[in-house]
Structure formats: structure tokens, C-alpha cells
Amino acid sequence: MPLEYWLDREPKQFSYFHRLMGYSMLSLGLLVYTFTTQTTHIQLYLPLIFAVVLFVSPRLEQWLKYRYNVQVQRNVLFLIDIAMVAAALSAVHLNLVLTLCTFAALIYSTINSRVSFFMMSLAGLWGVTIFYLANILVFGFGHYFAPTSTELTVLAFMCLIAYFAAGSVYQARRVYVASQKREHYYSQMNRYMEFANQLSRYAPQQLWQSIMKGETEAKIEYKRKKMTIFFSDIEGFTELSESLIPDDLAFVLNDYLSHMTEVAKQYEATVDKFMGDAILIFFGDPTTQGVEQDAKTCVEMAMAMRQQMKILRERWVKMGYPALHIRMGISTGYCHVGNYGAAHRMAYTIVGRDANLAARLQSAADVDEILISDDTYQFIKDDFLCAPKQPMELKGIQQPVKTWQVMEKTNARQTEYQRWFDYEYKGFHLLLNLDEVQNFEYPQLIAVLEKIIQRIQTQQTLINAQGVVRLHLEDEVISEVDILPQEGNSTLPH
């Protein structure tokens, strides 16, 4: 068989091939030694023993691996090799060149086989024992370290080089194959990660991260938990869809959904689904900070979305689109959350009365209003200022629902570290979001604000308290006024 065939085999099969090479070269050395020296021909029986060992070793390997383990298998075969080498060295009476070459090949094989230090020490004692037993029982004691013939020296070094070359080429080949497999697996892993990232966009971020970590299985199951549900939509979006072309409508919708989703991501909310312009979001699964904190975080997120919507509305108006507003409803209560559907197609969502209640509250909310249920209010009342509303009759809800309108955060103060500025007065509207301003843009903003202040101060000097523009003295027009004569005075001459 060609050498490449053996080089591409598994390590176990190449180990047998390498052993076959070593025994063949050792047998060849014994033959040349026998016919180039004046000695008996009893050494010629050793190659037959080598052939028997090679024939038995594959079956012995399987039995040892089945009965014990790979380490025991490797140690037993190593001891057999030591015994064969010791017998061969006894047969050549420690011929100098053959002994050196054999020891070099043996050390090389030991390193590649990853034999432990204890086994190497044991193998040394075992080899010495076999060597002396072979001398006593078979080959006798002769002249050791005798000079080596030229033919045997050349043959020994050629065999050693071939043995080293085969092992080195195989190791290099294994390294190359391993690197190719690693690159293949790495590219496949990147490919699957890219697919996973693309598929993750169709599921809540917390859910697919939990699945990727092995914490959650994709199977039909659900659980009952107390959660806070958020529902919102764009007021008048249906009428807007009839007046805009599909491309403009898609732009506005995607712009709105992307910004709202980014806000939800900042508050670690679970974005359940998009239903046209409506968004269903909940807090409490797969991760939760506690029912009370989940409710507070949800209301904070709603206020941030309302603030973000002001920015979007200003931008859309400048682009020629109508001014759009949102309505939001929030409810807190027990729901069933989990995977619903079939084994081959399922959806992660929530089911329960409070999920429907959040949708009904959103429908009943006014423009830019955050309407919450009484259960939600009980959790957030210490941190948010809320105005009570009349109990509402909502579709699908049997009893009137007590609701509250979220006004602002009670501890919200204008501090020097404030990130949002939204001030509106007659003829003046300042909307500033420092989170979207880069450091290098601060000087430009300061220059603009200074120009505004300077312009206001200039305008203040130009008008009086009644708002009438003041005129300079040189601009005053003085007209002649007839002075009527008074009693006792003569008439003025013309």
C-alpha cells in the first residue's frame, strides 16, 4: 500500500504500521549482522518471533481495550516492544551502531507514545531482565560493543532515518489534518452562530440566550407567574396607512419599532411580538427583579418611550409626515407564560386576563397617555405621581376597572446631571437628549445655545414692557401742534 494511505489512517492504525516498520528494520539488521559476522545463525529465528508478535498484536490490542482501557493497552504493547528489542540486542551482542540506532528509535517511539515516567523505569528493568535471560538461555555471552561493518552501519542509519521520517511525516500530517478540521469546525461554528443570531431576531433576546446557554429547552411548557404587561400602539396609524405610500409607511413603522425596541432593551424587557404598530412587552420572565421592581421598571420604560416618541415626532414632521402619538396601557397580575403551539412550530408568549387588560387599557388611553391598572399602581405609587380616573367598562372585562394615569416620577428633579431636557413654551421648544450627543459635539451645542441667549437678550433691549418695539431718538418724528389761545392772552400773530 502507498505511504499516504497509512499516513491518513487513524493513530491506532499508524501505530501498527510504525511497529511493523520497526520490526522489519530490526529483522533486516539481524540478517545482515548474521551474514557479516562469524557467529551462529540462531538469530534468524527472531524475525519469526517478530512476525508472530505482529500477527497477534491487533487482537491483543482489541482485547486489552475492551477488558481494561487504552492506557493499559499502550503500556502492555510498550513492554512487548521492549522485550523484542532486548532480545534483538542480546542476539547482536550489543553491536555498537545497531544498539545506538535501536535506542534512538526506542526513545522516539516512547516520546510519541506518551509513556509515563514510572512505566519507563519499569520498562528499563524489564528490558535488562529479558536481555540477560536471552543471553543465558539462547545467545550466550560474547564480545560486546564490537566494531560494526560498513554495510551494517549504512543500513542501520538508513533504517533509523526512515523510521524517524515516517513518524515525523505522520505527525506533521496529523497536525495539518487537525488544523484543517479546526478551521472547518471554526467556520461551521461561525456559520451556525450567524444563523443563530439571525434566528434570534424572531424571538425575545432573553429567551434565545437562555436556550443557547442550555438553561431552557425548546419544548411545549408553561408556568404561572405574576408579571407586568405593557401594550402600546400608534394613535391614528390605520388612517395613516391609507394616506401614505407603502414605502413611506414601512419606513415610519420600522423607525418607530426599532427605537421602541431599543428602549425596551435598555430596560431588559421581554419584547413578545409586534402586531402591526402595536407592541406587546412584559417583565417577569425569563428574568425578573421581583414583581414590584418589574412594575416600576415597566413604567419607567413607558415614560422613556413617550419621551423618545417626541423626538421621532419632531423628526417625522420635518420630513413631511404627520405628527404621530402613542397610547400605552400597563397591567400587573398572574399570567401563564411559556411555549405554546406544536412540536415543530411554537411561540413564546403570555396568556391571561391581565394580558388582555393591558391591551384594553391601551385602547382606552388618550393620546400620549400611560394608563395603568390599580394593581400596577399599588406597586409604583411611592415613586410615581398618578392621577385617578373614573372606573372604566372595558371590552371583555366583566367588572369596571379602576385605572390611573401616570403623570411623572415623584423624585424627578432638574439636576445638573440630568440627561433629558424637554421644555416647551409659547414660541419656544427645547428638546435635548444628551445620550445621543457625542463629546466632540458639545462645543457646537454650547455655541448654538449662546447664540440663542444672545438673540433673546438683544430682543429684550429692543422692546418695552408692553412688547412694543422701542425707537431711537433720531428715529422720533416731531410734528407741529397748534396751541390754542387761553383766556387773558392775546392772539398770536400769524
Side-chain angles (χ1 to χ4, degrees), residues 102-113 120 164:
T102 302
F103 270 115
L106 191 61
I107 293 173
Y108 179 81
S109 178
T110 302
I111 295 174
N112 288 336
S113 299
M120 291 178 60
F164 281 177

Side-chain angles (χ1 to χ4, degrees), residues 26-81:
L26 201 56
S27 300
L28 185 60
L30 287 172
L31 292 176
V32 173
Y33 175 81
T34 301
F35 291 105
T36 57
T37 57
Q38 300 297 327
T39 183
T40 61
H41 291 69
I42 195 171
Q43 291 88 347
L44 298 178
Y45 292 101
L46 271 180
L48 298 178
I49 299 176
F50 293 163
V52 173
V53 171
L54 290 173
F55 179 77
V56 174
S57 60
R59 296 171 177 79
L60 181 62
E61 286 184 29
Q62 294 180 359
W63 182 81
L64 290 173
K65 185 177 180 180
Y66 174 78
R67 185 65 184 272
Y68 299 101
N69 52 49
V70 177
Q71 188 63 38
V72 173
Q73 173 197 61
R74 184 183 296 117
N75 292 336
V76 171
L77 292 177
F78 179 68
L79 291 176
I80 293 176
D81 292 339

Side-chain angles (χ1 to χ4, degrees), residues 196-203 208:
N197 289 333
Q198 294 180 7
L199 292 175
S200 67
R201 301 175 186 177
Y202 294 92
W208 72 262

Side-chain angles (χ1 to χ4, degrees), residues 184-325:
H184 173 73
Y185 293 147
Y186 183 74
S187 63
Q188 291 296 316
M189 181 183 67
N190 287 339
R191 181 166 170 262
Y192 290 136
M193 288 300 296
E194 183 179 353
F195 289 159
N197 289 333
Q198 294 180 7
L199 292 175
S200 67
R201 301 175 186 177
Y202 294 92
Q205 180 182 11
Q206 297 90 336
L207 176 64
W208 72 262
Q209 286 181 347
S210 180
I211 293 176
M212 294 296 290
K213 293 178 181 177
E215 299 173 355
T216 304
E217 295 184 11
K219 62 181 180 180
I220 298 177
E221 62 178 3
Y222 55 87
K223 51 194 171 183
R224 186 170 181 264
K225 298 182 68 175
K226 195 167 188 178
M227 311 172 64
T228 298
I229 302 95
F230 169 90
F231 206 96
S232 71
D233 76 343
I234 300 177
E235 192 269 335
F237 187 80
T238 304
E239 293 76 8
L240 178 66
S241 62
E242 298 178 357
S243 60
L244 292 180
I245 63 175
D247 289 343
D248 289 342
L249 183 66
F251 166 76
V252 172
L253 180 60
N254 288 328
D255 195 23
Y256 165 74
L257 294 178
S258 62
H259 281 84
M260 296 300 107
T261 304
E262 188 63 30
V263 173
K265 181 181 178 181
Q266 293 176 3
Y267 287 89
E268 299 182 355
T270 301
V271 181
D272 188 335
K273 60 173 68 71
F274 304 123
M275 295 166 284
D277 62 310
I279 307 176
L280 175 59
I281 299 174
F282 57 82
F283 289 80
D285 194 82
T287 60
T288 180
Q289 297 177 339
V291 179
E292 180 177 352
Q293 185 58 43
D294 286 342
K296 294 178 181 179
T297 305
C298 183
V299 175
E300 287 186 5
M301 180 196 71
M303 297 180 67
M305 286 183 173
R306 183 169 59 183
Q307 197 74 24
Q308 182 67 38
M309 191 62 182
K310 291 183 179 181
I311 300 176
L312 295 176
R313 183 164 54 248
E314 294 286 339
R315 185 157 62 105
W316 290 339
V317 169
K318 292 180 181 178
M319 297 174 66
Y321 298 114
L324 300 177
H325 301 266

Side-chain angles (χ1 to χ4, degrees), residues 299 302-303 306-307 310 368-372 377 380 383-389 404-410 412:
V299 175
M303 297 180 67
R306 183 169 59 183
Q307 197 74 24
K310 291 183 179 181
D368 291 333
E369 185 179 65
I370 303 173
L371 203 59
I372 66 175
Y377 171 74
I380 71 164
D383 296 329
F384 294 87
L385 178 63
C386 301
K389 303 198 74 172
W404 299 77
Q405 178 186 355
V406 179
M407 307 301 294
E408 62 180 5
K409 202 168 184 179
T410 55

